[in-house]
Amino acid sequence: MEDRENSFGKTSRLYLEASVKDGKTVLSDVSFTAPYKVMRPFYEKKGVMSVTALAASAGIMAGDRQDFRIHVHAGARMALTSQSYEKIHRMEEGYASRKTSIQVEAGAALFYTPLPTMPFQGSDYRSQLDAELFGDDAQFVLLEILSCGRAAHGERFGYRRFQNRVTIRQDGKIIYRDNTRYEPGWMDMNGPGMYEGYTHLGNLVLCNVPRSDEWIDQTRKLLDEADGVEGGVTRTARGDVAVRALGGSAQRLSGLLEEMIEDCF
């Protein structure tokens, strides 16, 4: 396939740096290129700076190349989300890609919860997220939701390819890795071990966020009792927590997963 540049003729970039100033988390450095912008931060939750990334475009197009870099300095606490659903448009050829690099220093926290991703018919999207945590008190929470596509338009699993690689390291050692790659053209996306008839997949990872065995049990009970949702929760080899859930509604699934991390902020 032809590896075309996007309509801007260059990589779209977003850089955010959070630091503590006079006891308050602030954006100490910000830079971005089209189509990205950043809203003025607000402080809805005590001690946490909430930031929303804006995109002045209809969505991700063929050939788009994006580079996100996020650096949270020692002691800072930032929650980062997106403006709207990530719409990945139809691509006659080529693909779109995003690389996200995250650094969370000692005593800092990043809650990265972008809104759900929706791949359109014929799209091909490849994402890579690399997070580096410095010390066992550097907290990182990742919440992602992937839709099957525009089901109401008859585009259920109509995309060509969706790939999402997530690697989280602490002091250079890998503590979590996930390599999701879906190609509906030759995979039974509704089959066992896949979406199993559901339309949305949620992934929640909590690193260096203490969770008791009681919390694990309560979370499993919450998933078991939730209408229209199936999921599970487990600890990683080093004791971090990963939750994966399937549902028929992005709003219902995101609300459930956000409930699990409400006390983290």
Side-chain angles (χ1 to χ4, degrees):
M1 296 181 183
E2 182 185 0
D3 189 8
R4 301 182 303 175
E5 289 186 329
N6 61 26
S7 59
F8 303 106
K10 59 183 181 180
T11 298
S12 297
R13 303 184 186 278
L14 174 66
Y15 177 74
L16 300 173
E17 187 173 308
S19 303
V20 176
K21 182 178 181 181
D22 298 329
K24 181 179 180 180
T25 299
V26 298
L27 279 178
S28 50
D29 195 3
V30 180
S31 64
F32 48 81
T33 60
Y36 290 102
K37 296 182 179 180
V38 177
M39 282 184 61
R40 183 183 297 275
F42 60 95
Y43 298 84
E44 182 180 15
K45 297 180 174 64
K46 185 177 180 180
V48 178
M49 176 183 65
S50 296
V51 179
T52 301
L54 309 177
S57 69
I60 296 175
M61 308 293 182
D64 279 1
R65 301 292 181 263
Q66 301 173 347
D67 184 16
F68 288 6
R69 298 181 184 274
I70 303 154
H71 190 170
V72 187
H73 287 273
R77 297 175 65 82
M78 179 169 72
L80 176 61
T81 189
S82 53
Q83 168 195 18
S84 61
Y85 279 34
E86 196 76 84
K87 301 177 183 68
I88 307 173
H89 288 267
R90 184 182 183 91
M91 302 171 190
E92 298 300 331
E93 58 181 4
Y95 64 93
S97 66
R98 173 183 296 167
K99 183 176 181 180
T100 303
S101 300
I102 292 170
Q103 292 180 299
V104 183
E105 296 188 13
L110 174 63
F111 309 98
Y112 187 39
T113 60
L115 293 182
T117 300
M118 181 182 295
F120 287 17
Q121 182 89 17
S123 64
D124 184 337
Y125 179 67
R126 308 174 192 186
S127 173
Q128 178 180 334
L129 184 150
D130 293 293
E132 181 72 41
L133 314 181
F134 297 91
D136 57 11
D137 60 348
Q139 297 183 323
F140 180 52
V141 173
L142 173 66
L143 193 166
E144 299 178 305
I145 294 178
L146 174 63
S147 165
C148 68
R150 297 189 298 178
H153 291 254
E155 295 183 3
R156 188 182 177 111
F157 302 115
Y159 54 89
R160 287 189 285 119
R161 175 174 171 176
F162 179 89
Q163 182 166 328
N164 185 31
R165 297 177 181 175
V166 177
T167 303
I168 304 173
R169 293 179 172 85
Q170 181 176 307
D171 300 322
K173 182 179 180 180
I174 293 176
I175 60 173
Y176 178 87
R177 172 170 281 176
D178 179 72
N179 184 10
T180 296
R181 177 169 171 169
Y182 295 141
E183 296 187 47
W186 61 274
M187 294 176 173
D188 180 6
M189 297 300 296
N190 288 304
M194 304 299 277
Y195 276 61
E196 301 185 8
Y198 290 96
T199 57
H200 295 78
L201 170 66
N203 187 39
L204 173 64
V205 183
L206 300 93
C207 295
N208 293 329
V209 179
R211 300 285 88 173
S212 66
D213 290 341
E214 181 182 3
W215 184 91
I216 297 286
D217 292 338
Q218 290 175 344
T219 301
R220 286 176 177 149
K221 183 178 179 182
L222 183 65
L223 289 167
D224 289 342
E225 295 179 351
D227 293 333
V229 173
E230 295 284 347
V233 55
T234 187
R235 289 193 186 276
T236 65
R238 68 186 298 275
D240 293 318
V241 174
V243 180
R244 184 156 291 188
L246 293 163
S249 162
Q251 184 176 7
R252 176 76 179 96
L253 195 55
S254 61
L256 188 67
L257 295 175
E258 287 169 3
E259 183 179 341
M260 297 175 188
I261 59 173
E262 181 63 30
D263 66 335
C264 295
F265 290 83

